Amino acid sequence: MFYCVLGYMGFLATVSFMVAFLARKLPDTFNEAKFITFSMLIFCSVWLSFVPSYLSTKGKGMTEGKLNSALCTTNDPLQTRFHYYQPGDLMVGGVTSQYLSMSEQVSFEEHPKTKIVDEPITITKNYQHVLSLVFAVKEINENPKILPNLTLGFHIYDSHFDARITYQNTLNLLFSQNRTIPNYECDTKKNPVAVIGGLGSETSHHMASLLGLYKIPQVTYCLYDPAVHDKAQQLYRVVPNELYLYRGIIRLLQHFQWNWVGIIAKNDDKGEKFVQTLDHMLSQNGICTAFIDRIPGQSSIWGTLDLLDVFQTMTFAQNETSVNVFIVSADSHSMLCLQVGLSMIELDAMAPIQKVWVMTAHWEFSSETFHRHIDIQIFYGALSFAIHSNEVHGFQHFLQSLDPYSREEGFIKTFWEQSFNCLFQDNDEGKESSNTCTGEEKLESLPGPLFEMRMTSQSYSIYNAVYAVAHALHAMHLSRRHHRAMEGRDNLESSKSQRFQLHSFLRRISFNNSAGDKVSFNENGEVEAGFDIVNWITFPNQSFLRVKVGRLDPEAPQGREFSVNETIITWHSRFNQEVPHSVCNDNCYPGYNKERKEGEPFCCYNCTKCPKGKISIYKDMAACFQCPDAEFSNQDQNGCLPKGLNFLSYNGPLGISLALLALFLSLTTTVVLGVFIKHQNTPIVKANNRNLSYFLLLALLLCFLCSLLFIGQPQPLTCVLRQTAFGIVFSVAVSSVLAKTITVVLAFMATKPGSKMRKWMGTRFAISVVLCCSLTQAGICMAWLCTAPPFPDVDMHSLDEELILECNEGSTQMFYCVLVYMGFLALVSCIMAFMARKLPDSFNEAKFITFSMLVFCSVWISFVPTYLSTKGKYMVAVEIFSILASSAGLLGCIFSPKCYIIILRPELNKKEQLIRQNYSMPKMG
């Protein structure tokens, strides 16, 4: 009956078409026959094509064929056969990267083929990316606390590391499983609410350019590259920003003090960006780049066969260089090119490359199936950064339960055959193999570069991405139920509506996954998960161990973001388990500083000894520095010692000697004074002006005693008294000598008949001279004390190893005024004594005064340069010696002849001896 209905409609359509065709040329302006003819032609064409399509389809496809037979007939421009579909109430899309495929280049001269030319090569390790997504969905569906009464489905395609296939499969996710019709959703139940992928930044960018048009959330697990991604693309990254990776590399190099490194990067735009960014950051942090090598940017591993010369040159350069650390930036495929290229070089004539490899987080230790026996010992002891991950409970059991005969799983068959190098018996592709797949092969028997039973960091990121989408959907579902947006219905809205709304929930999502790690997105849509530092230990049987030895955690407290346990790191055997050194030259040890080598990078330098008085306390210091003022550098110039105290002390031999000398001279002066007092009425005492002699002896006694003020640690009182007391007392002594000289001259002038000088004779005049000269010096000293008095001070810089405790003169000008005035008095005395030296009297003092003034002036003239050229206690000792010497000169030259006569030749101490040539000397005393 169904076909009768269709037949009758066809009959009516045929009759209408024929009548309209016959009437199409009738001359009527409003004749509709032409339009009716054309419409019937389309109608019949559609239903004629419907019949075979209807008979060749089943179930829902039959209805679709009736409704959309004119719309869903377009063939895809490029078809891929690998996908994995599991239905559910809510669908999550996925685009992984595990196949390397060769497709024909489009020449635009003929219609492009729609199938991939060669059998794809499986990067078997990346199959775990599919399994981690499936495992996460399985856990979510089994968890009643996430999306209750709803199931999560998935649809996974592969990018084949090809831009065209990435675009094609992204469109397949959005619109249909078998046919791609943009902007037309043939089956809305298969349309994903979010898509997870891809592995590389280019793949992620290609996906985002399509998903962004339809506002579909994309959660990617590739490191964010600002040079590739557009800021307008709303991506959610379950990995940290790549900037943290650069910082981690810098911190690692600084931790081990490696400042002479090589960089190896892929020869493409991304590699160039890495080199420029890292090289700039290295130079900012005091690290030099010794060389930069490029990994040939081939799209396939076959390209390495033509590039052996490039790898041979690279190998020779890497062996000959003094650099021990290589920083490598490349994805797994490029790293495999490097590994294959270096392994294929004949190394018989050279030593193997035995360096420290530092890998970026783009790298996973993987190998293609036909390189399963390649030597991996080249990377023994390598260090790499990996996106932070933890052990996920139940994942290994899930891997062990895989069924290689699954019909729904579109990836497992090819993975199984290439991993175990076998073929299934039902293989219908004409391939031959001596090994038959039994399905009983054990995944754990595969070497690490082919497949790992432990969840890798990239798979861990995919696992977190699925959970992030599920938690966002759960939050959105609860919000809708709370607001009763469905008018009492619990089922979700259309998938298109969910896509738009999911963005706001993804931005605010925060949860702890099953491994205990917190997952949340920051304002830039990134998970600040940080990086693990992994140490790779390889073995000859193609197996390896990955050991977590450190962590870079951006959310850790300041100063603790970077940590590494170097005690558990296994280095290459060449380094004998000692931390390798990678420097341009040996370090400059404490006591030395760096001196730049001309024409060399700043990491290459000479080591020079610190100049005297400066030190360096760390290795490789750019400049030496001065010790604090109270300290001085030790002999090795690598530390500071406290300075000793320098002052003229009574405890030192010099201080004791000067003090004893001053006391001895004081005692001698006292004895002379006693002798003069005892014999005060004798002619020789009376003839030499007895009162002035007493003044002079008392002044000399005080001069000897005031020298004791200069010995000992400077105190405020002693600093004020020592120079002023010395100046006044010495002025009294010199003025007394001057008065004696004037008295002698006047005495002989007064003996001339009619001389008026006799009225100036007498004690009063002599005392007036002494007082006048002394008060002038006292006035100078008072002005000194009132303006800038001396005070105790510490000189920290004159001596390298001692602090000089001294009396600061306050005003140097006033100090020299005191000395100049004393010198003036001494000079006048010396001149007058010199003029009176030939007076005819046996007791004339002029000769002795002249000689004493010459001694006095000689001492103080030599004092000035000696005083200025010495430092510390020796400068004080010079002044004390000058005081004692000049005072002793006066005492000895003036009083020793008189004491000789008084004590030893008393017979000469008679009045008769004073009469010479009939002329007597006037009475002075």
Side-chain angles (χ1 to χ4, degrees):
M1 293 303 294
F2 171 67
Y3 289 110
C4 289
V5 173
L6 293 179
Y8 181 69
M9 286 194 299
F11 170 73
L12 292 177
T14 302
V15 172
S16 299
F17 173 74
M18 293 178 64
V19 172
F21 181 78
L22 293 174
R24 71 186 187 282
K25 294 184 178 181
L26 292 178
D28 187 358
T29 308
F30 299 101
N31 183 13
E32 293 182 301
K34 294 180 180 180
F35 303 108
I36 295 173
T37 303
F38 186 69
S39 64
M40 289 297 102
L41 181 61
I42 295 175
F43 184 88
C44 294
S45 300
V46 169
W47 285 100
L48 287 174
S49 63
F50 160 74
V51 175
S53 300
Y54 181 80
L55 295 176
S56 62
T57 56
K58 301 293 182 181
K60 179 175 64 176
M62 298 175 68
T63 305
E64 290 180 355
K66 287 185 287 185
L67 295 177
N68 305 312
S69 59
L71 298 176
C72 296
T73 58
T74 306
N75 290 328
D76 289 339
L78 192 63
Q79 297 176 1
T80 57
R81 60 188 176 89
F82 298 107
H83 65 93
Y84 189 0
Y85 173 73
Q86 177 179 299
D89 298 320
L90 299 170
M91 296 297 297
V92 175
V95 176
T96 59
S97 300
Q98 58 180 312
Y99 294 116
L100 290 172
S101 301
M102 294 294 294
S103 58
E104 288 187 346
Q105 298 294 326
V106 179
S107 63
F108 297 100
E109 295 179 355
E110 60 181 5
H111 193 283
K113 294 183 179 181
T114 61
K115 293 185 178 181
I116 295 175
V117 176
D118 297 329
E119 176 68 17
I121 301 168
T122 304
I123 300 180
T124 53
K125 193 162 190 174
N126 289 0
Y127 177 57
Q128 196 189 92
H129 301 170
V130 175
L131 299 178
S132 62
L133 192 153
V134 176
F135 177 70
V137 170
K138 177 178 177 295
E139 280 192 338
I140 292 168
N141 288 334
E142 293 174 353
N143 189 345
K145 296 182 179 180
I146 305 178
L147 295 175
N149 302 323
L150 294 171
T151 58
L152 195 63
F154 58 80
H155 199 176
I156 306 173
Y157 281 95
D158 196 77
S159 69
H160 289 253
F161 296 94
D162 187 279
R164 291 183 299 161
I165 300 178
T166 301
Y167 282 122
Q168 177 65 54
N169 285 339
T170 304
L171 290 172
N172 287 342
L173 283 174
L174 299 182
F175 302 113
S176 176
Q177 178 180 357
N178 297 319
R179 300 181 181 89
T180 301
I181 306 174
N183 298 321
Y184 189 85
E185 299 177 353
C186 292
D187 186 358
T188 58
K189 291 185 178 181
K190 291 185 178 181
N191 299 135
V193 294
V195 178
I196 298 171
L199 177 61
S201 57
E202 293 85 359
T203 302
S204 179
H205 171 67
H206 298 328
M207 294 172 58
S209 61
L210 291 177
L211 298 174
L213 296 175
Y214 300 98
K215 307 298 182 183
I216 298 177
Q218 178 185 352
V219 185
T220 181
Y221 53 96
C222 73
L223 286 175
Y224 174 56
D225 184 1
V228 176
H229 286 284
D230 187 359
K231 292 183 179 179
Q233 297 172 348
Q234 293 185 347
L235 297 177
Y236 303 92
R237 291 175 287 274
V238 286
V239 293
N241 194 309
E242 197 171 23
L243 178 62
Y244 294 132
L245 177 61
Y246 292 111
R247 293 176 182 173
I249 294 174
I250 299 298
R251 294 292 297 273
L252 181 69
L253 299 179
Q254 290 176 335
H255 176 82
F256 291 111
Q257 299 180 358
W258 295 331
N259 64 359
W260 188 239
V261 300
I263 300 178
I264 302 175
K266 192 175 180 181
N267 191 17
D268 57 8
D269 293 339
K270 185 176 180 180
E272 186 62 30
K273 177 69 175 179
F274 175 83
V275 170
Q276 292 179 0
T277 304
L278 183 61
D279 189 44
H280 177 67
M281 294 183 68
L282 290 175
S283 61
Q284 284 185 326
N285 289 274
I287 302 171
C288 295
T289 303
F291 67 87
I292 299 174
D293 277 340
R294 308 289 185 177
I295 301 175
Q298 298 294 318
S299 59
S300 172
I301 196 64
W302 305 108
T304 58
L305 298 176
D306 301 324
L307 296 165
L308 295 184
D309 291 339
V310 176
F311 286 114
Q312 188 170 15
T313 302
M314 185 186 300
T315 303
F316 274 110
Q318 292 171 358
N319 272 289
E320 293 176 357
T321 182
S322 60
V323 180
N324 283 329
V325 176
F326 295 163
I327 304 173
V328 185
S329 171
D331 53 36
S332 299
H333 181 53
S334 300
M335 278 302 301
L336 183 58
C337 290
L338 175 64
Q339 185 179 353
V340 172
L342 296 179
S343 299
M344 293 178 66
I345 302 298
E346 281 291 330
L347 297 178
D348 295 338
M350 68 176 76
I353 299 178
Q354 298 174 339
K355 308 289 184 178
V356 177
W357 300 83
V358 178
M359 314 294 188
T360 62
H362 307 88
W363 181 67
E364 278 287 348
F365 216 139
S366 63
S367 175
E368 297 173 5
T369 55
F370 52 85
H371 294 122
R372 66 176 66 228
H373 300 299
I374 193 171
D375 184 18
I376 63 174
Q377 290 294 93
I378 188 175
F379 296 128
Y380 182 88
L383 297 174
S384 75
F385 287 84
I387 300 165
H388 174 66
S389 62
N390 259 329
E391 191 69 30
V392 177
H393 179 71
F395 185 66
Q396 291 191 12
H397 178 72
F398 170 75
L399 296 181
Q400 293 169 349
S401 65
L402 292 178
D403 180 13
Y405 292 102
S406 173
R407 295 290 182 179
E408 294 79 11
E409 227 279 45
F411 300 103
I412 193 169
K413 181 178 179 182
T414 304
F415 160 78
W416 206 273
E417 289 181 340
Q418 295 196 17
S419 296
F420 294 103
N421 194 21
C422 63
L423 289 177
F424 288 100
Q425 291 182 348
D426 59 349
N427 176 55
D428 55 355
E429 299 179 6
K431 296 184 291 185
E432 296 182 0
S433 175
S434 58
N435 299 324
T436 301
C437 297
T438 64
E440 300 298 327
E441 292 83 1
K442 301 297 182 183
L443 290 176
E444 51 267 30
S445 66
L446 294 174
L450 287 181
F451 192 80
E452 286 187 70
M453 297 297 291
R454 179 187 177 277
M455 185 178 283
T456 64
S457 59
Q458 293 171 347
S459 299
Y460 187 76
S461 299
I462 297 173
Y463 178 82
N464 286 334
V466 178
Y467 265 94
V469 172
H471 279 280
L473 288 170
H474 182 76
M476 184 175 67
H477 178 60
L478 292 179
S479 176
R480 185 176 297 114
R481 292 179 65 184
H482 179 72
H483 291 92
R484 301 291 182 178
M486 295 303 298
E487 298 179 357
R489 293 183 297 169
D490 281 340
N491 58 308
L492 296 177
E493 295 178 359
S494 65
S495 60
K496 184 178 295 187
S497 174
Q498 296 173 47
R499 299 169 188 171
F500 301 149
Q501 298 176 12
L502 192 59
H503 281 287
S504 62
F505 291 95
L506 267 174
R507 295 189 192 101
R508 302 193 303 267
I509 200 66
S510 179
F511 64 94
N512 289 333
N513 64 13
S514 61
D517 288 331
K518 181 182 177 181
V519 179
S520 62
F521 297 105
N522 59 19
E523 64 276 5
N524 298 320
E526 303 162 352
V527 172
E528 296 182 352
F531 293 93
D532 295 326
I533 303 174
V534 180
N535 181 214
W536 298 88
I537 306 171
T538 60
F539 301 99
N541 63 352
Q542 308 302 308
S543 62
F544 60 80
L545 290 177
R546 61 170 86 206
V547 181
K548 289 184 181 180
V549 296
R551 177 80 191 276
L552 179 66
D553 186 3
E555 295 186 333
Q558 188 174 6
R560 300 174 59 185
E561 302 94 341
F562 179 86
S563 61
V564 63
N565 184 2
E566 59 185 71
T567 60
I568 62 174
I569 297 178
T570 300
W571 304 105
H572 197 283
S573 57
R574 168 198 171 194
F575 302 110
N576 296 321
Q577 276 309 108
E578 295 183 357
V579 177
H581 295 283
S582 189
V583 293
C584 182
N585 48 259
D586 292 335
N587 300 105
C588 291
Y589 290 96
Y592 293 83
N593 68 307
K594 299 190 296 185
E595 183 180 9
R596 182 79 177 270
K597 286 184 178 179
E598 190 69 27
E600 296 286 339
F602 63 86
C603 293
C604 302
Y605 46 81
N606 294 318
C607 297
T608 58
K609 187 77 173 178
C610 288
K612 187 176 181 180
K614 293 187 176 182
I615 66 166
S616 62
I617 58 177
Y618 302 111
K619 288 184 179 180
D620 293 333
M621 292 191 67
C624 301
F625 62 90
Q626 197 81 31
C627 286
D629 291 337
E631 299 178 352
F632 70 99
S633 61
N634 59 12
Q635 186 176 2
D636 295 328
Q637 310 289 110
N638 59 3
C640 293
L641 300 174
K643 288 184 176 181
L645 300 180
N646 184 294
F647 64 94
L648 190 59
S649 170
Y650 287 106
N651 297 327
L654 182 59
I656 294 175
S657 301
L658 292 174
L660 292 176
L661 179 61
L663 293 174
F664 172 75
L665 293 174
S666 300
L667 180 61
T668 303
T669 305
T670 303
V671 170
V672 172
L673 179 60
V675 170
F676 266 59
I677 293 174
K678 182 178 181 181
H679 299 87
Q680 59 181 338
N681 295 318
T682 59
I684 195 169
V685 174
K686 294 168 65 177
N688 287 280
N689 202 328
R690 179 173 53 193
N691 292 330
L692 286 179
S693 297
Y694 293 159
F695 270 110
L696 179 58
L697 287 171
L698 288 173
L700 291 176
L701 176 61
L702 293 176
C703 284
F704 292 133
L705 293 176
C706 79
S707 64
L708 298 177
L709 294 173
F710 291 83
I711 303 175
Q713 184 171 343
Q715 301 295 332
L717 181 61
T718 57
C719 286
V720 171
L721 291 178
R722 61 167 60 172
Q723 299 292 2
T724 55
F726 153 70
I728 294 173
V729 171
F730 238 96
S731 296
V732 172
V734 176
S735 60
S736 298
V737 174
L738 176 62
K740 285 173 71 67
T741 306
I742 293 174
T743 300
V744 170
V745 173
L746 292 176
F748 283 97
M749 292 178 64
T751 57
K752 295 179 180 181
S755 176
K756 298 181 180 180
M757 294 295 178
R758 190 175 292 272
K759 64 180 180 180
W760 296 100
M761 299 299 295
T763 305
R764 183 176 299 177
F765 175 75
I767 294 175
S768 298
V769 172
V770 173
L771 290 176
C772 182
C773 295
S774 302
L775 289 176
T776 302
Q777 183 72 291
I780 296 174
C781 291
M782 290 300 296
W784 183 8
L785 295 178
C786 293
T787 55
F791 59 91
D793 196 10
V794 180
D795 182 1
M796 298 183 176
H797 307 290
S798 297
L799 297 180
D800 294 333
E801 301 180 6
E802 291 180 311
L803 300 174
I804 300 176
L805 302 182
E806 61 180 7
C807 286
N808 191 307
E809 307 303 345
S811 174
T812 307
Q813 292 81 2
M814 297 302 294
F815 171 64
Y816 286 112
C817 285
V818 170
L819 294 181
V820 168
Y821 181 73
M822 286 192 301
F824 169 74
L825 293 178
L827 181 63
V828 172
S829 299
C830 183
I831 292 173
M832 294 194 68
F834 181 78
M835 293 173 62
R837 71 188 185 283
K838 295 183 179 181
L839 292 177
D841 185 71
S842 15
F843 296 102
N844 182 12
E845 292 185 296
K847 295 180 181 179
F848 304 112
I849 292 174
T850 302
F851 187 72
S852 66
M853 288 296 102
L854 288 176
V855 173
F856 183 90
C857 292
S858 299
V859 169
W860 286 102
I861 289 174
S862 63
F863 159 76
V864 176
T866 308
Y867 182 82
L868 296 177
S869 62
T870 56
K871 301 293 181 182
K873 61 183 178 181
Y874 298 104
M875 184 170 64
V876 179
V878 167
E879 187 171 0
I880 295 175
F881 179 79
S882 299
I883 293 173
L884 296 178
S886 58
S887 301
L890 293 176
L891 179 65
C893 294
I894 295 175
F895 293 101
S896 59
K898 299 177 179 60
C899 290
Y900 173 76
I901 294 174
I902 294 172
I903 298 173
L904 299 179
R905 300 291 299 274
E907 67 276 8
L908 298 178
N909 191 8
K910 294 181 180 180
K911 188 175 182 179
E912 293 80 9
Q913 296 295 327
L914 301 177
I915 301 172
R916 293 287 179 90
Q917 298 178 358
N918 300 322
Y919 169 141
S920 63
M921 184 176 178
K923 188 176 181 180
M924 301 295 176

